[in-house]
Every structure is written in C-alpha cells, then in structure tokens.
C-alpha cells in the first residue's frame, strides 16, 4: 500500500501480577530488565490486576497488592513521568481487544499452553474460563499498544509465540480491510514482506539471571508459593533475613569451577553464581573469574553482602512508597489516562477494521 507506514514505533510493554510478595526472581528476571530498557525505549509497565482474578477470584487485598507492585516498579527506578505505569483494569480496551482475540485464537492453540496445563492440573473441567483465556488477554495487553518488545521470564515465551500467532492471523484474516483503510505497516514475516496492523512482538529473554531457582532446590523455580520461606529472597526481606537465607542456601561440597561449563550438573552452584551475576550486572564467567576455585564458605558471605547492598535500599524505598497511597494512586491514575489514549487510538482502528459501526 502506498499509504502504509514503513515501521512500527519501538515500544516496550510488560506486566506483573499483583499476587503475593515479589521475590528476587521477579526482580532479576523482570523488573531489573524493565529499568534498563527505559534508556533505549518508550516503556509501558502494567500491574495486571485482571489477570490476577484467574488465580484467586476474591482478594481481600487486591488494592494493596497493586500498590505493592507499583511501589516495586518505582523503588527499582522506573520513571513514571517519562514512561507509563498503570494498573490494567483502568484501561477497558484491554478487555475489549481480548474479546476480538478470543474470536481470532483457536481452541487448539490455547489447549497447547503449558502454563494452563500446569495451573489447571488434573481437574480441567473445574478451571475457570479466565484461566484458559489468560494468554488471549496477555496478547491484548501487548497489542493494544502495538508493542514491539516484551521483557519476560522464559516461562512466558510460549505466550509470546501465541501473541504473534494471534497478530498474524488477525493481519491475515483482515488483510483486505487493513489495506483498504490504509492502516497497515510493512513488516517481515519469515521471508515475506507483509502489510499488517499488529506487529510481530519479540520477547526480550535471557541474561545471567533469567531464571532464578529456589535456594533449597536448584531444579525448581524460585516461587512465592513454595511453602518454605527459606527458598526465596523476598524484596521486602531485611538484611538479616537475606544473609540468613543465603547462608542456609543448598550447595554441593565442591569449590566453584573456573569455567562456566563446570556449572553443568550443579544446579545450586549455577543458581547462586547466576544470582551474583544478576545483582552485580556481570556475566557468570566474570563471577567465576573472581571466585573460581573458592569454597562456598568464601562465596556465600560475598553474595550475601552484595545482595544486602543491592536489595536493602529497594526494600526500604518500597516500604516508603507503598505507604504513600496518595502518591501511588496518583501515579496509576496518570499512567492509566496516558495508556488509555494509546489504547483507544488502536481500538478505534480495530473497530473500523472489524467493521463495527462507530462515530
Ligand atoms: N503472564 C505474565 C507473567 O505471569 C504477566 C503478564 C500479563 C504479562 N500480561 C502481560 C507480561 C503482557 C508481559 C506482557 O509473568
């Protein structure tokens, strides 16, 4: 199309659910990356409260959990003036686009989602429709802003693939209308150059701390639902708790290797080295350059000191910010209003593409 745009605006979107306490895995795997991306992208960071209903329908503290995540974003250094921070339910266009995507996505696609299978467990008949539909809402979160990049943990990779599948099917099913309205953007899909309304969003995954594991079992992800509090470092832990959990972290009897390959088959060692690398913002190999050949009796105190140094100020700032309801609520309101402007512009065009009658 002669009147199609040449490229999508580079935009980052990501979200965190307001459920349970944030831990080191959320911080290193997600929020720290969000902070770094602010330098090179326009970013939208969301507290996905609609998604949180898929885990627990009736919360007695949803508002406070929402403020907690917001406080974590702000305490970690996200700038809500340059970028956008808001809670999902303030922008009803997310839910509106989800409905359209529900009619684009196929049952078979959602049936393959491993997160649904894990969360629903054996009793699928009793899982909520919302839990099944979770990835469609996630695709709408991203595409209602036509975001091009999404920093996420590697457990969300499959949902990002689904997001691209939905975008591609929408672009394809409505290609004539997109062309007729002149609202397409040229993009490469495989070897082909196509004209679509939604971008093929790329995940931003990886780094030395992409996957932080339990401190008690290096084969399990660090999780808020692990019954043992010793398995995780919460962002709200004080210095003593952080130091104690690292001291008690499971290890093996060998000294640290000098090369990264030597971490193979040593999940606990790999995890602690990854945590150090993530906190210090260096590679695992750089950590091993310093600590290779040393015992955990040397490495653990160094790791504890680093963790306290990096996390204690964030915890203190989180406590201060989350207590200031007026400030946090004002940030979310302002962010919601700015998000709404972008989301409504997308939806106006989507309604035209689909053919709804509107003003
Ligand atoms: N599913 C994500 C998680 O559990 C949270 C999320 C919801 C999200 N919507 C999103 C992440 C959009 C990135 C983009 O981590």
């Amino acid at each position: 199309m002669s009147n199609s745009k040449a490229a999508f605006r580079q935009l980052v979107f990501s979200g965190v659910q307001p459920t349970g306490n944030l831990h080191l895995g959320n911080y290193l795997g997600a929020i720290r990356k969000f902070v770094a991306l602010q330098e090179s992208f326009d970013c939208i960071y969301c507290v996905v409260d609609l998604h949180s209903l898929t885990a627990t329908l009736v919360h007695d503290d949803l508002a406070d959990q929402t403020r907690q995540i917001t406080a974590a974003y702000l305490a970690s250094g996200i700038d809500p003036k340059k970028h956008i921070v808001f809670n999902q339910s303030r922008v009803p266009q997310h839910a509106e686009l989800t409905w359209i995507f529900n009619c684009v996505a196929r049952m078979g696609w959602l049936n393959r989602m491993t997160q649904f299978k894990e969360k629903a467990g054996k009793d699928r008949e009793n899982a909520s429709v919302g839990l099944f539909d979770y990835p469609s809402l996630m695709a709408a979160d991203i595409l209602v802003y036509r975001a091009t990049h999404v920093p996420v943990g590697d457990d969300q990779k499959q949902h990002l693939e689904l997001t691209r599948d939905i975008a591609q099917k929408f672009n394809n099913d409505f290609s004539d209308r997109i062309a007729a309205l002149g609202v397409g953007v040229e993009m490469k899909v495989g070897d082909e150059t196509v004209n679509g309304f939604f971008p093929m969003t790329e995940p931003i995954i990886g780094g030395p701390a992409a996957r932080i594991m339990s401190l008690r079992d290096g084969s399990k992800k660090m999780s808020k639902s692990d019954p043992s509090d010793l398995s995780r470092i919460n962002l709200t832990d004080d210095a003593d708790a952080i130091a104690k959990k690292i001291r008690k972290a499971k290890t093996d009897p060998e000294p640290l290797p000098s090369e990264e390959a030597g971490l193979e088959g040593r999940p606990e060692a790999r995890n602690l080295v990854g945590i150090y690398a993530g906190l210090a913002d260096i590679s695992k190999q750089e950590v091993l350059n310093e600590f290779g050949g040393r015992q955990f009796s040397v490495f653990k105190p160094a790791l504890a000191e680093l963790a306290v140094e990096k996390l204690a100020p964030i915890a203190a700032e989180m406590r201060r910010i989350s207590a200031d309801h007026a400030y946090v609520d004002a940030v979310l309101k302002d962010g919601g209003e700015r998000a709404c402007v972008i989301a409504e512009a997308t939806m106006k065009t989507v309604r035209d593409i689909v053919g709804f009658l509107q003003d």
Side-chain angles (χ1 to χ4, degrees):
M1 278 301 293
S2 54
N3 55 352
S4 73
K5 292 213 193 86
F8 288 99
R9 173 163 86 113
Q10 302 270 295
L11 183 71
V12 164
F13 181 95
S14 198
V16 173
Q17 285 197 49
T19 41
N21 280 337
L22 283 174
H23 54 68
L24 188 64
N26 305 121
Y27 177 65
L28 289 178
I31 297 177
R32 248 264 312 256
K33 283 194 209 158
F34 299 180
V35 176
L37 287 164
Q38 300 183 104
E39 303 304 321
S40 23
F41 292 89
D42 287 330
C43 302
I44 303 179
Y45 295 128
C46 187
V47 184
V48 291
D49 49 9
L50 298 179
H51 274 107
S52 76
L53 303 188
T54 65
T56 316
L57 179 58
V58 183
H59 296 245
D60 38 37
D61 55 358
L62 187 51
D64 272 331
Q65 295 281 6
T66 300
R67 291 189 184 106
Q68 267 266 321
I69 306 294
T70 310
Y73 282 166
L74 302 176
S76 304
I78 289 168
D79 181 341
K81 293 213 169 70
K82 288 206 187 107
H83 303 276
I84 292 180
V85 174
F86 75 109
N87 56 312
Q88 193 183 24
S89 59
R90 282 179 193 269
V91 182
Q93 287 84 352
H94 290 235
E96 184 184 358
L97 186 57
T98 300
W99 177 255
I100 293 171
F101 286 173
N102 284 344
C103 300
V104 173
R106 307 286 95 180
M107 291 290 287
W109 300 0
L110 288 168
N111 263 326
R112 281 196 286 278
M113 295 293 113
T114 54
Q115 184 172 298
F116 172 72
K117 289 187 215 172
E118 276 163 25
K119 290 198 175 167
K122 288 207 173 66
D123 193 8
R124 280 218 211 169
E125 289 294 307
N126 202 30
S128 74
V129 176
L131 185 67
F132 185 69
D133 199 36
Y134 180 116
S136 181
L137 176 58
M138 182 162 161
D141 293 341
I142 296 164
L143 293 175
V144 85
Y145 304 100
R146 302 206 286 165
T148 52
H149 295 83
V150 174
V152 273
D154 64 355
D155 60 326
Q156 296 298 311
K157 218 171 150 177
Q158 198 186 27
H159 290 160
L160 261 292
E161 282 161 19
L162 184 89
T163 301
R164 284 198 295 278
D165 289 343
I166 289 176
Q168 197 173 348
K169 186 168 187 321
F170 181 97
N171 288 343
N172 197 47
D173 289 352
F174 290 105
S175 60
D176 291 349
R177 304 189 60 100
I178 292 168
L181 290 162
V183 293
V185 176
E186 252 181 34
M187 71 184 112
K188 278 268 204 203
V189 180
D191 297 333
E192 265 185 282
T193 301
V194 300
N195 208 272
F197 181 68
F198 288 119
M200 294 295 120
T201 307
E202 290 297 332
I204 300 176
I205 294 178
R211 223 174 132 75
I212 302 296
M213 312 308 280
S214 156
L215 298 178
R216 308 298 297 168
D217 176 353
S219 67
K220 283 203 315 210
K221 253 184 78 170
M222 186 176 282
S223 160
K224 62 172 193 297
S225 51
D226 193 311
S228 167
D229 194 54
L230 285 175
S231 71
R232 65 186 158 260
I233 294 173
N234 303 303
L235 277 193
T236 46
D237 282 346
D238 61 18
D240 286 347
I242 294 173
K244 176 175 150 207
K245 287 174 179 180
I246 291 176
R247 201 165 56 239
K248 297 202 165 204
K250 187 173 167 202
T251 49
D252 57 41
E254 302 295 319
L256 284 171
S258 311
E259 302 296 328
E260 220 184 309
L263 293 169
E264 216 43 62
R266 299 179 63 187
E268 283 82 18
R270 167 195 291 273
N271 188 36
L272 293 181
V273 170
I275 291 174
Y276 192 106
L279 287 169
D281 210 4
I282 57 179
S283 67
K284 285 200 188 94
Q285 186 56 54
E286 285 172 296
V287 178
L288 296 177
N289 292 346
E290 196 179 335
F291 291 98
R294 301 294 196 89
Q295 298 289 345
F296 282 103
S297 57
V298 175
F299 180 62
K300 275 181 165 183
L303 176 58
E305 193 182 324
L306 176 66
V308 170
E309 178 196 318
K310 296 284 180 183
L311 299 178
I314 297 174
E317 191 61 1
M318 259 179 82
R319 274 192 290 276
R320 189 183 71 76
I321 295 173
S322 57
D324 189 348
H325 290 189
Y327 171 63
V328 174
D329 295 4
V331 164
L332 295 173
K333 179 169 190 282
D334 172 63
E337 284 165 4
R338 286 154 57 219
C340 232
V341 173
I342 308 172
E344 178 53 20
T346 303
M347 284 316 297
K348 228 173 161 25
T349 307
V350 168
R351 292 181 209 114
D352 280 341
I353 292 171
V354 173
F356 293 139
L357 199 55
Q358 65 177 333
D359 300 332

